[in-house]
Amino acid sequence: MTTLTTSPSAAAAAPGGTPSAYADRAAPAPIPFARLLKVELRKMFDTRSGLWLMASIGILAALASAAVVLWAPDDQVTYETFAAAVGFPMAVLLPVIAVLSVTSEWSQRNGLTTFTLVPHRGRVITAKAAGALVVAVAGMLVAAAVGVVGNLVGSALNGTDAIWDVSVSDFTAIVLANVLGVFLGFMLGAVLRSSPAALVGYLVISFVLVPLTMTLAAAQQWFADIQPWVDWNFTQSQLFEGLPTDGEYWAQLGVTTTVWLLLPLTWGLWRLVRAEVK
Amino acid sequence: MIEIHELTKRYGDHLAVDHVTFSARPGRVTGFLGPNGAGKSTSLRILAGLTPATSGTASVLGRRYADLPNPGLEIGVLLDASAQHAGRTGREVLRVAAETMGLPRARVAEMLDLVSLTEQEAGRRVRDYSLGMRQRLGLATALLGDPAVLVLDEPANGLDPAGIRWMRDLLRDHARRGGTVLLSSHLLHEIEVIADDIVVIGHGRVVAQGTKEELLHDDRTLVRAPEVGALAVALTAAGWTVERVDPADPTAGLRTDASLATTGQVALAAGLPLLELRAADGAGLEEMFLQLTADTQREAAA
C-alpha cells in the first residue's frame, strides 16, 4: 500500500480575509432539565404508536365506564366499580408507554439524534423516568375524573345517590401501584433496549407469571408462606386493595421492589450509558 | 474546528480505528475518504460521543463533545439519515430537535424551506420517506441550530444529481462563511469535487492526508496510444520507468516519469501516434484508493 506525503504545513489559515460568521461566538447556555422533560414527554405521544396508545387508554376508559353504567347491578354502581373499570386499562397500558420511551431510542434508532443533541445519556434517561412518572400520575387523575363522571351518570340513571367509596388513601395506593407498574416497564426497556423483547417481557411478567405463581401458592404451602417476600407482582397488586398499614407489608414491598426492579434497573442503566449507539 | 488525536477503537482483536489523527479546520471542507468498512463511521460516532473510544481523543471547538453545553448549536451531526423514529412526521422530528436546542418554532419552517421539503412532505411520516428525503431531513436537523461545525457521514447517499449539486453548494457556502465541514464518502470523485482537504483512511489507519492540491499533484506523465506495448518498450529503452494505468485495459494508457515533452519526443522518434498526453495529476491518489478498495473487497470475498 502506498502512502502519500502527510502535510502538517497544510494547516494554513482560512481562505484570504473572509470574515468568519462563526468566530467569537459565546458558548451557549446548557440545556435545562425542564426542557428535556418536556421533550421526552412530547416524544411519548408524537408518534403513531404513542398516539394510539393514548387514544386506546381514553377509549377503553370510556368503554369501561359505559359498560358499568349499562350492565353492573344497581348496588354495584359505586365509585369504586368505576375507578376499577377505568383504572385497569390504564394499569396495563401505561407501562407500555414507559417501555417504548426507552426502547425506541434503540429499536427505532432515533437515539442517534437524541444522544448527539444531549450527550449525557443519564440526563436523557432521568428525563424519561420523570416523564413516565408524570404520565402515570396524570393518567390516574384522568381515570379518577372519568370515574367521577361515570358514577354521577350511572347513579342518576338508577335514581340513587352516588356512592363515593374510594378514600384518599385508597387512591394514593392505586397511584403508587401504577407508578411501580410504569417503573417495571421502564426497567425492562433499560435492560433489554429492544421494543419487542421488552414488551414480551412485560406481558410475561404481568399476565403469564401471575396465574403461575397463584397456582403454585395454592398447591404448595411453603411458596404461599414466602410469596409476599419474593413475588413482586403479588406485593404490588395488594396496593389495589387499599393502602396497607402494617410495617411488614412495606418491608415486603421494599424487598421485592429492590430485588426485581431496582437492581436490574441499576444494572440496565449502567450498561445503557456505556452502550454503543448505532 | 475538529481535532482528532491518536483515536483508536478496538472490537475484540479487530482494530476498527487505529491511531487516527487529523483535524478539520474552519473555512475549509475536509473530505474523509475511505472504502466501506475503513473506519470512517466509527471515527465519526466516537467524535459525536455515541461510541466510546478505546484510546485517543476527539474534540470539537476545543472541547470534548460531551462537554458542549448545547451541542446542536455548535455542531450539526448527520450520521445516518435512516436513524429516525419511523412513526414521527418530518416536521415533528425537526420540532423535537428545535425544542431540545431551545430554538423558536419558526426555525423549523425555515429549515424545511432550505432543504426543499414541502408542507405536505413535512406532514408525512418518516417511514414513507425516500432515502433522499431522509437525507434532506437529516441535513435540516444538522443545520437547525446554525452550528459552526458540520459533520456528515455519506451525505450524498440517496440524493439525485441535482440534490448532490445542491448539497455541495450548501456545504461550500458554509465553509466560505467560516464554518468547518467534515464529510465522509467512499467515492473518490465525490470528495475530489467538494473537499479542500482530504484525509484518506483504510483498514482503520490514515494512509494519506493533506490539501487536495498536494494529494492530487503528480509529476508523472499520462500517455495513451493505440500501440501501448510498443510505446512502453520505446520509453523503457530511453531509460524511463513505465507502468500500465490498468494492467487489464490497454486503452487506459501508461504512466511514466518522463516529462510531457520527452514522452512526445520518444513517441515521435519511434513513429508511434498518440491519443492523449497529459500530466498524471490525481493518478497517485486514485491508484492508492483503488488499492485500498481492492484490499477491502478481497477481505469481504474471503
Side-chain angles (χ1 to χ4, degrees):
Chain A
M1 195 190 309
T2 45
T3 301
L4 293 192
T5 47
T6 313
S7 168
S9 69
T18 323
S20 170
Y22 300 105
D24 309 321
R25 276 189 174 185
I31 304 173
F33 182 77
R35 198 195 288 163
L36 288 183
L37 174 59
K38 231 174 97 190
V39 168
E40 290 305 330
L41 272 172
R42 180 180 185 124
K43 282 161 66 180
M44 288 179 193
F45 306 112
D46 69 352
T47 63
R48 186 169 280 174
S49 47
L51 200 72
W52 276 107
L53 263 174
M54 264 332 258
S56 52
I57 289 176
I59 293 167
L60 287 173
L63 285 178
S65 297
V68 172
V69 169
L70 290 175
W71 294 306
D74 284 2
D75 62 339
Q76 279 183 28
V77 179
T78 71
Y79 186 57
E80 192 190 353
T81 312
F82 282 104
V86 175
F88 182 69
M90 294 257 180
V92 174
L93 291 177
L94 287 176
V96 174
I97 293 177
V99 165
L100 294 179
S101 144
V102 182
T103 56
S104 66
E105 301 287 350
W106 274 268
S107 280
Q108 296 278 351
R109 300 182 64 224
N110 56 315
L112 233 62
T113 308
T114 307
F115 298 126
T116 42
L117 290 181
V118 188
H120 300 278
R121 296 184 208 171
R123 289 189 83 204
V124 174
I125 296 297
T126 310
K128 284 182 189 293
L133 192 73
V134 168
V135 169
V137 174
M140 284 303 111
L141 292 176
V142 171
V146 175
V148 167
V149 174
N151 196 25
L152 288 175
V153 173
S155 41
L157 289 176
N158 285 343
T160 55
D161 286 337
I163 299 166
W164 305 102
D165 52 357
V166 175
S167 67
V168 172
S169 82
D170 289 345
F171 184 69
T172 310
I174 292 171
V175 169
L176 181 59
N178 276 287
V179 167
L180 288 174
V182 162
F183 272 90
L184 169 68
F186 197 77
M187 179 276 285
L188 289 168
V191 169
L192 297 170
R193 275 182 278 136
S194 147
S195 305
L199 289 177
V200 168
Y202 170 64
L203 292 177
V204 166
I205 290 174
S206 306
F207 298 102
V208 180
L209 222 50
V210 173
L212 283 180
T213 52
M214 265 171 75
T215 315
L216 185 61
Q220 300 286 331
Q221 188 55 42
W222 66 266
F223 184 74
D225 291 340
I226 61 161
Q227 192 176 20
W229 292 100
V230 297
D231 187 350
W232 179 82
N233 276 320
F234 181 81
T235 46
Q236 185 242 13
S237 64
Q238 306 289 301
L239 288 169
F240 289 103
E241 315 291 325
L243 202 62
T245 46
D246 68 300
E248 194 184 16
Y249 169 78
W250 292 104
Q252 289 163 347
L253 185 67
V255 168
T256 50
T257 302
T258 304
V259 172
W260 295 110
L261 285 193
L262 282 182
L263 290 181
L265 181 64
T266 310
W267 179 69
L269 291 179
W270 185 84
R271 285 176 62 225
L272 186 147
V273 293
R274 283 159 185 80
E276 228 181 323
V277 184
K278 283 193 168 183
Chain B
M1 183 79 170
I2 295 171
E3 285 163 304
I4 291 185
H5 184 70
E6 293 288 311
L7 203 63
T8 299
K9 176 67 184 178
R10 181 184 288 279
Y11 292 103
D13 55 2
H14 171 63
L15 265 180
V17 178
D18 185 2
H19 296 89
V20 164
T21 299
F22 70 88
S23 51
R25 289 168 296 131
R28 302 180 71 88
V29 175
T30 302
F32 196 25
L33 175 68
N36 292 324
K40 301 186 298 287
S41 299
T42 308
S43 303
L44 297 183
R45 273 208 315 277
I46 295 173
L47 170 67
L50 296 174
T51 293
T54 305
S55 64
T57 57
S59 74
V60 179
L61 300 167
R63 273 165 298 174
R64 284 190 325 136
Y65 194 97
D67 294 336
L68 299 173
N70 190 343
L73 301 180
E74 300 191 84
I75 175 170
V77 181
L78 172 55
L79 295 185
D80 185 344
S82 294
Q84 277 302 344
H85 198 298
R88 224 166 248 139
T89 65
R91 183 184 290 108
E92 182 62 22
V93 166
L94 289 178
R95 278 190 184 160
V96 166
E99 202 170 310
T100 308
M101 294 180 220
L103 297 169
R105 182 71 64 91
R107 186 77 187 146
V108 170
E110 280 173 41
M111 286 300 108
L112 286 171
D113 199 41
L114 178 74
V115 301
S116 311
L117 283 173
T118 64
E119 276 292 300
Q120 198 206 353
E121 287 168 334
R124 273 198 249 156
R125 298 196 189 263
V126 174
R127 82 169 81 249
D128 301 322
Y129 275 26
S130 66
L131 181 55
M133 286 164 76
R134 285 175 200 216
Q135 209 66 265
R136 286 169 187 274
L137 181 66
L139 214 51
T141 314
L143 292 167
L144 201 59
D146 189 24
V149 181
L150 286 176
V151 173
L152 313 165
D153 197 5
E154 302 273 358
N157 273 3
L159 290 179
D160 55 25
I164 291 176
R165 176 68 181 274
W166 160 83
M167 187 200 62
R168 248 180 235 154
D169 291 345
L170 192 99
L171 299 183
R172 293 215 80 31
D173 188 57
H174 187 80
R176 197 181 47 73
R177 287 186 290 126
T180 304
V181 179
L182 173 63
L183 86 162
S184 78
S185 177
H186 64 284
L187 301 172
L188 176 60
H189 170 73
E190 195 49 50
I191 292 292
E192 260 182 19
V193 291
I194 188 172
D196 303 302
D197 297 320
I198 301 179
V199 179
V200 188
I201 183 173
H203 306 291
R205 282 188 300 272
V206 171
V207 293
Q209 62 178 313
T211 65
K212 181 165 67 181
E213 291 69 30
E214 286 169 339
L215 289 187
L216 292 184
H217 183 74
D218 194 328
D219 280 332
R220 293 176 299 172
T221 295
L222 184 130
V223 57
R224 293 198 307 122
E227 294 166 66
V228 171
L231 184 59
V233 170
L235 281 165
T236 313
W240 304 104
T241 58
V242 170
E243 62 178 0
R244 294 275 179 109
V245 171
D246 182 349
D249 178 13
T251 62
L254 304 169
R255 252 192 307 269
T256 171
D257 58 348
S259 70
L260 288 170
T262 310
T263 308
Q265 269 163 3
V266 170
L268 180 63
L272 295 165
L274 296 184
L275 294 173
E276 189 179 3
L277 179 62
R278 64 172 171 87
D281 270 356
L285 186 60
E286 190 166 5
E287 208 176 334
M288 181 181 65
F289 189 62
L290 277 174
Q291 180 69 46
L292 278 178
T293 315
D295 288 351
T296 313
Q297 276 168 351
R298 261 203 302 281
E299 271 162 28

